[in-house]
Amino acid sequence: MSWLLAFVGFAALILIHEFGHFAAAKLTGMRVERFSLFFPPTIARVRRGETEYAIGLVPLGGYVKITGMNPEEELPAEVRSRAYFAQPVWKRVVVILAGPAMNLLLAFVLMLAFFWFLGPREPARTVAAVERDYPAAGELRPGDEIVAVDGRRGGAAELAEQLQTHRCPGALRPGCRAATPARVTVRRGERTFEIALRPLYDEQARRMRLGFRFSPDGPRRSLPFADSVQTAASNFWFVARETALLPLRLLDAEKRREISGVVGGYEVTRRTIVVDAADAIPIIAVISLSLAIVNLFPFLPLDGGHIFWALVEKVRRKPVRAAVMERSGAIGFALVLMLFLIGLTNDIGRLTNEGFQVR
């Protein structure tokens, strides 16, 4: 069932993107020949008026075919006035921008709904894992419940905050131990006891740690509407910024390994649905947002490429030759193919090695 739900989620992202193009084209008076979910060969089709609605066999995207997308195409006189390149620049930009805009809108709505109605899970007070070479090693076990730290009770956040009151003597340095021990109250089965552990400074995390992780299976905490808007906007901006910087990651070997593709996004969504379907909502939101930003890169055949050349035409006050756009399209296609292959290679590596960690 998780395979089907993940597939439906990805199909919905494609459908809403193409619907944006379709609706804008109809509203601006352009002639839409075909609206297809997925790519040919076509396995189902139906015609309503001048538009054919189809489903393709290859589930790698979808498309809206608008009459006259090729400026050099010969068209019958009766449809020439409604062709894409016969329209003013602003109409063309609106039609092309509508696809990514729908994905941007969907991403924000999903993020807002998640934080407002569901909320992320708070970490439980149960120990999920203990790290070697840290104070907790040999003292705590997975399944232990941390009842209090220095007598202070509360959730995982409050307990972690109390640990930060134990500081290294002098300046912080990697691996330094706190001058005073933290008194950790532990419940293990039917027994409750207290142990004294001196936190050490983790330079990477930039905080004092005992070396264990809380279980992520705590209760969900929804946020008030205003906080939900703020949190959704913050996450939206972070993902948008990181996606926009994606081409720069190609220049760094370490960051190239972080790039994920369609396979990775699909597999993470599927596995998250297995663990907790609600947690798939923000993942789908992130994928929708990333899809929109990547589509806005100014290279053909991406949507951003069409917008770029339409604006160039507006500035030049005359159409750009098709040959020029075709040459630029080769560059854009090469970039898209490179990102796809890097993401696919990384995804295969994760599938065959450590897998996609969803918890």
Side-chain angles (χ1 to χ4, degrees):
M1 181 60 73
S2 63
W3 295 92
L4 178 60
L5 291 176
F7 178 81
V8 169
F10 271 67
L13 294 184
I14 298 168
L15 192 63
I16 196 168
H17 179 95
E18 298 304 330
F19 178 76
H21 294 313
F22 170 81
K26 287 286 189 179
L27 289 172
T28 54
M30 296 186 193
R31 183 174 183 269
V32 180
E33 297 180 20
R34 176 179 287 187
F35 179 18
S36 178
L37 176 63
F38 308 143
F39 292 126
T42 301
I43 57 177
R45 69 182 74 195
V46 62
R47 178 170 291 278
R48 293 289 183 270
E50 65 186 10
T51 305
E52 179 183 84
Y53 301 86
I55 299 176
L57 182 63
V58 183
L60 294 178
Y63 66 95
V64 173
K65 184 179 180 182
I66 302 172
T67 298
M69 287 295 291
N70 181 348
E72 297 181 351
E73 181 181 359
E74 292 292 332
L75 297 171
E78 62 270 18
V79 301
R80 195 176 302 147
S81 62
R82 297 177 59 206
Y84 175 82
F85 271 103
Q87 310 304 313
V89 168
W90 73 266
K91 284 190 178 183
R92 282 181 269 155
V93 171
V94 166
V95 169
I96 299 301
L97 193 58
M102 290 295 287
N103 284 120
L104 292 172
L105 177 62
L106 176 65
F108 186 80
V109 169
L110 288 177
M111 288 183 183
L112 175 61
F114 176 77
F115 289 114
W116 190 19
F117 294 110
L118 297 171
R121 288 191 180 277
E122 294 184 334
R125 295 188 303 177
T126 305
V127 175
V130 180
E131 301 173 44
R132 292 182 299 177
D133 303 323
Y134 276 84
E139 299 289 345
L140 296 178
R141 303 174 186 172
D144 287 348
E145 180 186 355
I146 308 301
V147 178
V149 174
D150 298 329
R152 180 181 177 182
R153 295 171 178 264
E158 288 76 18
L159 300 178
E161 182 181 328
Q162 182 60 33
L163 283 177
Q164 303 312 304
T165 63
H166 297 271
R167 312 296 290 177
C168 295
L172 290 175
R173 60 190 185 280
C176 69
R177 287 184 179 265
T180 56
R183 294 178 293 106
V184 183
T185 305
V186 182
R187 181 178 292 122
R188 182 176 295 162
E190 300 297 324
R191 190 165 65 98
T192 300
F193 57 93
E194 185 178 283
I195 54 177
L197 300 172
R198 291 170 60 196
L200 60 78
Y201 180 67
D202 186 328
E203 184 180 35
Q204 185 174 5
R206 296 184 179 180
R207 58 191 174 91
M208 305 299 293
R209 298 187 61 218
L210 293 178
F212 70 89
R213 288 188 292 106
F214 283 114
S215 168
D217 296 321
R220 292 192 181 277
R221 183 176 64 86
S222 60
L223 304 179
F225 179 74
D227 291 343
S228 297
V229 171
Q230 182 178 359
T231 305
S234 176
N235 282 271
F236 187 95
W237 167 248
F238 174 79
V239 174
R241 182 189 63 200
E242 292 301 307
T243 305
L245 295 174
L246 185 60
L248 296 180
R249 296 191 176 201
L250 298 175
L251 306 177
D252 188 309
E254 282 294 322
K255 292 184 177 180
R256 271 202 306 271
R257 286 195 282 270
E258 298 173 1
I259 296 175
S260 190
V262 176
V263 174
Y266 175 83
E267 184 63 9
V268 168
T269 304
R270 186 192 69 80
R271 295 192 183 190
T272 302
I273 289 171
V274 172
V275 177
D276 190 336
D279 285 331
I281 295 174
I283 293 176
I284 292 175
V286 167
I287 294 172
S288 182
L289 176 52
S290 299
L291 174 66
I293 299 299
V294 170
N295 254 297
L296 288 173
F297 287 170
F299 305 105
L300 290 170
L302 299 176
D303 292 336
H306 289 283
I307 294 172
F308 173 79
W309 287 110
L311 295 177
V312 168
E313 177 182 329
K314 183 69 173 178
V315 172
R316 295 176 73 241
R317 297 184 178 180
K318 62 180 179 178
V320 179
R321 289 189 299 118
V324 174
M325 291 190 287
E326 286 175 2
R327 284 196 294 270
S328 74
I331 298 173
F333 181 77
L335 175 63
V336 173
L337 183 61
M338 184 186 303
L339 288 172
F340 175 80
L341 291 176
I342 290 174
L344 179 61
T345 302
N346 291 343
D347 292 342
I348 291 173
R350 295 184 186 103
L351 284 169
T352 55
N353 291 297
E354 76 274 12
F356 293 92
Q357 304 300 319
V358 298
R359 280 299 180 95

